[in-house]
Amino acid sequence: MPFTVKKDILPNGKFGLKGSPFSLRKMKKFRGGSVVNHVKEKIADKNYKDFHNSWAFDNPRRNILLSLAKKFNLNDRVNVFKKLWEITRASNRYKSRIKEEVDKDLKLSYERIARIANGESVDRISFSRKTERSDDNFVIFSDLHMTNLNQLPNYFKDNNYKLYLQVLDQYAQTNYCLVENGDVEECIIYDVSIEEAKNRKKAMGDFPIENNEEWNDFLKFRYRKRMETLNHIIDSFPDYYRTVKHAFIAKDKYVRLTGNHDTYSDEPFERDLRDRIEEELDTSIHDVLSIKRNGDIKYVVLHGHQFDSVSQLHGNIPWAKSFGEIYSENVSWAFQGPDRVWEFENEGKKWFVGNSYENKLARETPGKFGDGPNDETDKNKGLNNSLVFGGKTAIKKDSKDFFEALLDHEIAWEYFENNSDDSEAGYLSIALEVLTGDEMFKFRHMNEIDLCKEYEKCFNQLSDGKKEAPTLVLGHTHEPRQNATWIEDNSMQTCDFYLNSGSAGRYENLIWCVEIRGNKDYIVSWSRTSDGMLRKTTWRSFKDRLTYYPDDVITINPFIQLMDTLF
């Protein structure tokens, strides 16, 4: 939400002005120009100071997150957060000890998907259940994150459920094969309680989490809650399951793939969840879909958590159980779920009305704070000193890298209002948006650059360079991609064999998907206009630009059969 006089300046009218009301006459050091910009930095400094004073130094990372969470969904459950943080903290310590091993397994995932793209089979969890199809037309959705929550916000149900049913009806009428590519049911995020937190903490063993006697009680608590959650979801979305079964499954026009929030594997504990959803849908669950054209694999569809360092299920140790799932179920509920939601009026409207969408590949790795020598000890020392002693001058010089290093994640800065390339933009984004509860940061949690480079390299080796790499179609990141770019050696690179379907449940009044028609593919979004009409936007990407631009925009009556877009 933009910085305004009414929302941001007037409530802070007395700070730093000797108790006087806000007025131009008493603004010190103002020498003309924009009043808002002049006051903006003063308010940012005040917000950052208040934030810095709100947590003690004994457990800074927990207290920082706790302080941020109070701006969003934490409400009165601080004790729950603190209890669950003890599990998260142990997980973080374990993660830092075995980084090299995780990276090795991540590289194996690139090789495995290249083998599948080359027509081979891979007998590893989250890759092994493969299916093939050759329908003329496909629509691919992902990341609905359907859940049934009473205490926490229920985003898909409140914002996009009815819209999604209308959209499904359009595709059912036009003979598309529906592919739901993971994170459909949200089995990990739940309504937390202090009793549940205490039980999990009491049952916690030594990491990593494994299916053994040490962790057995913990896993019982975890999966009892997931089965309860899944049953509530099935009961809460009857129209969805009815539509999918009658309009798609009954016509053999449906594929369901697993995600990291609905893994449905055949491992212990998981297989009960898998059996429940397969019983409900009366169809099998798969990990990977190969789409063939003229007998050759043209597209390979899978959720994408297989390439996320904290969500891998297929390593020598299933890292997701000890990293990603721990963070999601123990911490992320206090913010805005496993990823944040973009509310229509505040943030999502710029895409609804047909503006641009950034189309750069994520690197996942956080920036490194400081301009000193390439010595991690020195850099961490600089980070810690700035954190503890509040060195705003140093932070402002390198603000984006500072906050990324602090939170150990790449942050999607373009989602903020203060999204310029200025060195202080990161500082203003955090101080004026996150610390006011206006806008939560979005972590980027998959290295798309490495994925594209390593996948192509592995595929070329397997095929002796005789075939083009089939296009990967993923979800997981919640951001659409097509012909996305990145900068390497001061030149722009483009990956034209990678698509991402964005999300059907993370943008209010905006559902992203991928359409495949024959040998062509498209990024598509659906929304409603102000008068309730259904609106379909087909996006095109320019390889020499970093943004999507809308191509054809069609407004249709939701009760009339959709006429296909002409290209």
Side-chain angles (χ1 to χ4, degrees), residues 252-315:
D252 189 26
K253 287 291 181 180
Y254 183 76
V255 177
R256 169 67 78 88
L257 303 177
T258 60
N260 56 306
H261 287 255
D262 53 2
T263 50
Y264 301 143
S265 75
D266 57 3
E267 296 288 293
F269 293 103
E270 280 285 337
R271 65 171 64 102
D272 291 337
L273 296 175
R274 178 206 62 195
D275 292 345
R276 178 68 182 93
I277 193 63
E278 288 187 341
E279 174 190 27
E280 178 63 31
L281 293 174
D282 194 22
T283 191
S284 297
I285 305 294
H286 303 281
D287 298 312
V288 184
L289 165 67
S290 296
I291 296 176
K292 287 190 170 183
R293 295 289 182 254
N294 299 320
D296 294 326
I297 297 175
K298 176 71 173 179
Y299 297 92
V300 179
V301 188
L302 67 168
H303 182 66
H305 60 286
Q306 295 90 337
F307 314 111
D308 183 339
S309 59
V310 302
S311 298
Q312 298 176 89
L313 297 166
H314 52 83

Side-chain angles (χ1 to χ4, degrees), residues 187 222-230 325 329:
C187 295
R222 172 183 271 182
Y223 281 94
R224 185 175 63 200
K225 179 60 71 173
R226 291 186 186 180
M227 180 61 77
E228 178 185 307
T229 298
L230 178 57
E325 293 177 23
E329 66 189 2

Side-chain angles (χ1 to χ4, degrees), residues 105-155:
D105 281 331
L106 193 58
K107 290 181 180 179
L108 287 174
S109 68
Y110 305 141
E111 177 188 329
R112 286 168 180 147
I113 194 57
R115 286 169 54 194
I116 290 173
N118 196 42
E120 304 175 34
S121 295
V122 173
D123 187 19
R124 298 294 292 189
I125 186 172
S126 74
F127 288 101
S128 60
R129 294 175 296 179
K130 183 176 68 171
T131 188
E132 295 180 348
R133 297 195 64 120
S134 55
D135 304 65
D136 291 335
N137 299 322
F138 293 86
V139 59
I140 303 169
F141 296 97
S142 70
D143 298 276
L144 282 67
H145 291 279
M146 293 194 304
T147 193
N148 183 44
L149 299 169
N150 296 317
Q151 301 176 45
L152 298 171
N154 202 332
Y155 293 112

Side-chain angles (χ1 to χ4, degrees), residues 158-173:
D158 294 342
N159 299 329
N160 281 2
Y161 182 29
K162 292 181 180 179
L163 173 61
Y164 189 62
L165 292 177
Q166 283 187 283
V167 172
L168 289 185
D169 184 58
Q170 299 298 326
Y171 286 112
Q173 293 181 49

